[in-house]
Amino acid sequence: MEERYKIILYNKNIYKEIELTPDQQQLTVGTNADADVRLHREYFFGKITLFFSKYHSSWKVTCSEGIYFSLGDVRKLLTLDLKHGDEVSIKYDGSDNEAFRLSYMIDFDYENKDYSCEISLEGQDQIKISHGQDSDIRIDDGYSSEGAVILTQDSSGRWGIRDVGTTHGVYVNGVKVEGYQELTDCDFFSVNSYSFYYRSSAMFTSKNIAVMNSGIHYQIHTESKTSLVYPKFNRNTRVQYVMPEAEIEIQQPAAKPRRSKKNLVMTLIPSLVMLAMTIVLRGIIGGGGTFVIYSAVSMSVGVVMSIVTYIQEKKDYKRECEGRIQSYHQYIEAKTQEIEMLRKDELRILRLIYPSLKEGLEEAFDFDRRLNHDIRLTVF
């Protein structure tokens, strides 16, 4: 039997489950754009990349610069050979602060689960689940070992579970059991590939188990033959809702137009000085009244043209500034609409991930296809 694995990455901001299929040979997880699985960069101090590679049937993980793997001791590991049940802390090299945690385990959940066998716990105070012949409930799925899972009832009637040396561990609601853990109504616990559902002093599990203890009563529930064929509605853990991760780039406004450095007074001074000198010199020398008038008119035209050019350049500068502001306002308005559309899409996906009680009831009454565990969807 070829084992399938899954990786869980989590901290207070992220939670990602990643399947490692049998035909997969490598995988990159990180904040880079070319990573196979992207992490939000804003949740981390700098770039983070994990490189997963498969050798025969085992997986190994290597980290990028600036981070290291910690197993709870003083070692700072850059490469780690993974095995089922590993819990690894990924920390920053400079500060030793934790970036996130990594869990690695055999993926027992990729197959559809069967809960058609109801096992009564009435009249029992201890039940042993294992591969051995001395078990009360015997399991055999190719992963079984010499260890056992012991269910015990305390004096107040509450049931609890204990892992006694199993190879792959026991998980209650997806969390590994360390020592003894009390069970409450509607808890799920898994032993290898077998999943059990506890409710009202009874367990529901696969009909493929073998009840070895004759004092334990059980029954196999067959599918209802009513006129309404209701689909199975175990919510599929494989339904994936992908949040939009595209980064929206906001461009800076265009460069401000260059203001003319001309000074009107400095521009007019040469022409005014030449005009004054012409008048004064002709007055001293005498004669040439027509030439004086011609010179005065020519220089006056030059002065007027200098003033007109100066005023026109100021108008052009003002018009370019106003055009620049208007153009950027239009750009920002378009980006605002784009962001609002993405936020609405995120809200839609979040409502799919976390439906309200009313929406959940409507799904059940309408036989919504998302309740059918045989359907796998990826929603963008």
Side-chain angles (χ1 to χ4, degrees):
M1 179 184 299
E2 187 165 13
E3 295 176 344
R4 301 170 65 106
Y5 293 90
K6 69 178 178 181
I7 303 163
I8 301 177
L9 306 178
Y10 62 95
N11 61 20
K12 65 179 181 180
N13 293 316
I14 64 169
Y15 181 88
K16 281 187 179 291
E17 288 192 17
I18 306 167
E19 297 178 42
L20 299 174
T21 58
D23 58 343
Q24 203 167 3
Q25 296 298 318
Q26 59 184 15
L27 176 78
T28 59
V29 179
T31 57
N32 294 335
D34 58 349
D36 298 319
V37 178
R38 289 283 303 278
L39 300 177
H40 290 283
R41 185 175 298 178
E42 59 268 24
Y43 293 147
F44 305 98
F45 299 105
K47 295 181 179 180
I48 285 180
T49 306
L50 300 180
F51 305 92
F52 294 87
S53 57
K54 187 177 182 182
Y55 181 73
H56 296 306
S57 60
S58 301
W59 282 88
K60 179 174 69 173
V61 60
T62 304
C63 63
S64 59
E65 294 182 359
I67 57 175
Y68 66 90
F69 301 119
S70 174
L71 299 178
D73 50 27
V74 297
R75 294 175 298 169
K76 295 184 177 182
L77 306 174
L78 303 180
T79 300
L80 195 64
D81 292 319
L82 296 171
K83 61 182 183 298
H84 173 79
D86 276 350
E87 291 282 341
V88 184
S89 176
I90 289 85
K91 295 185 176 183
Y92 296 107
D93 192 20
S95 63
D96 294 329
N97 291 328
E98 184 176 83
F100 57 93
R101 296 188 67 83
L102 180 152
S103 297
Y104 176 81
M105 63 192 71
I106 297 174
D107 188 2
F108 293 119
D109 296 328
Y110 79 96
E111 294 180 331
N112 297 326
K113 299 302 180 183
D114 170 25
Y115 299 96
S116 59
C117 179
E118 179 182 357
I119 303 172
S120 175
L121 302 180
E122 295 291 341
Q124 307 296 321
D125 56 11
Q126 179 172 296
I127 292 178
K128 180 180 180 181
I129 303 174
S130 73
H131 179 62
Q133 294 294 332
D134 61 340
S135 306
D136 297 311
I137 298 174
R138 187 171 185 268
I139 57 176
D140 186 6
D141 58 358
Y143 294 104
S144 303
S145 62
E146 297 303 320
V149 178
I150 306 296
L151 277 75
T152 55
Q153 186 181 38
D154 62 19
S155 57
S156 62
R158 291 189 294 265
W159 283 89
I161 189 170
R162 186 185 304 277
D163 179 7
V164 184
T166 62
T167 301
H168 299 113
V170 180
Y171 292 80
V172 175
N173 300 326
V175 179
K176 190 174 183 180
V177 173
E178 302 291 347
Y180 177 85
Q181 182 168 332
E182 183 179 321
L183 293 176
T184 58
D185 254 8
C186 303
D187 274 349
F188 286 84
F189 66 92
S190 59
V191 184
N192 299 338
S193 64
Y194 288 91
S195 182
F196 295 80
Y197 173 58
Y198 172 77
R199 186 184 66 190
S200 303
S201 296
M203 294 189 303
F204 298 81
T205 187
S206 170
K207 60 179 178 240
N208 295 324
I209 57 94
V211 178
M212 309 295 288
N213 186 340
S214 60
I216 297 177
H217 300 286
Y218 70 97
Q219 59 177 324
I220 305 298
H221 295 280
T222 58
E223 188 174 349
S224 175
K225 300 299 181 182
T226 61
S227 58
L228 291 176
V229 180
Y230 197 92
K232 296 179 181 179
F233 53 93
N234 297 322
R235 188 176 296 280
N236 182 9
T237 59
R238 297 290 180 235
V239 174
Q240 299 178 9
Y241 301 98
V242 180
M243 297 294 291
E245 295 185 354
E247 296 183 358
I248 300 176
E249 182 180 357
I250 305 296
Q251 298 180 355
Q252 296 295 323
K256 192 174 182 180
R258 181 174 296 180
R259 183 191 293 271
S260 176
K261 295 183 179 180
K262 291 183 179 179
N263 185 287
L264 181 60
V265 175
M266 297 301 295
T267 302
L268 295 179
I269 283 177
S271 298
L272 294 174
V273 170
M274 290 298 296
L275 178 61
M277 289 181 63
T278 300
I279 295 172
V280 171
L281 289 176
R282 287 302 178 183
I284 295 173
I285 297 173
T290 302
F291 178 75
V292 172
I293 295 172
Y294 173 78
S295 298
V297 170
S298 298
M299 293 180 184
S300 298
V301 170
V303 170
V304 171
M305 290 304 298
S306 296
I307 295 173
V308 170
T309 300
Y310 177 80
I311 294 173
Q312 187 62 42
E313 287 179 350
K314 288 196 66 175
K315 289 182 177 179
D316 291 343
Y317 173 76
K318 183 178 180 181
R319 183 171 59 254
E320 290 176 3
C321 288
E322 291 175 350
R324 171 177 174 268
I325 294 172
Q326 182 179 1
S327 175
Y328 195 65
H329 281 173
Q330 292 174 350
Y331 170 77
I332 291 298
E333 184 177 352
K335 281 295 180 181
T336 301
Q337 294 176 357
E338 181 182 352
I339 293 172
E340 288 176 351
M341 290 180 62
L342 285 174
R343 295 297 84 83
K344 289 180 180 178
D345 195 37
E346 287 182 357
L347 179 61
R348 176 184 65 84
I349 296 174
L350 284 173
R351 291 185 64 182
L352 289 173
I353 299 174
Y354 307 106
S356 65
L357 177 60
K358 180 181 177 181
E359 291 169 339
L361 291 174
E362 289 176 351
E363 288 178 355
F365 281 115
D366 296 339
F367 296 177
D368 191 280
R369 68 193 297 265
R370 292 200 305 131
L371 299 178
N372 189 338
H373 65 66
D374 293 329
I375 297 175
R376 297 189 178 188
L377 302 173
T378 299
V379 180
F380 292 92

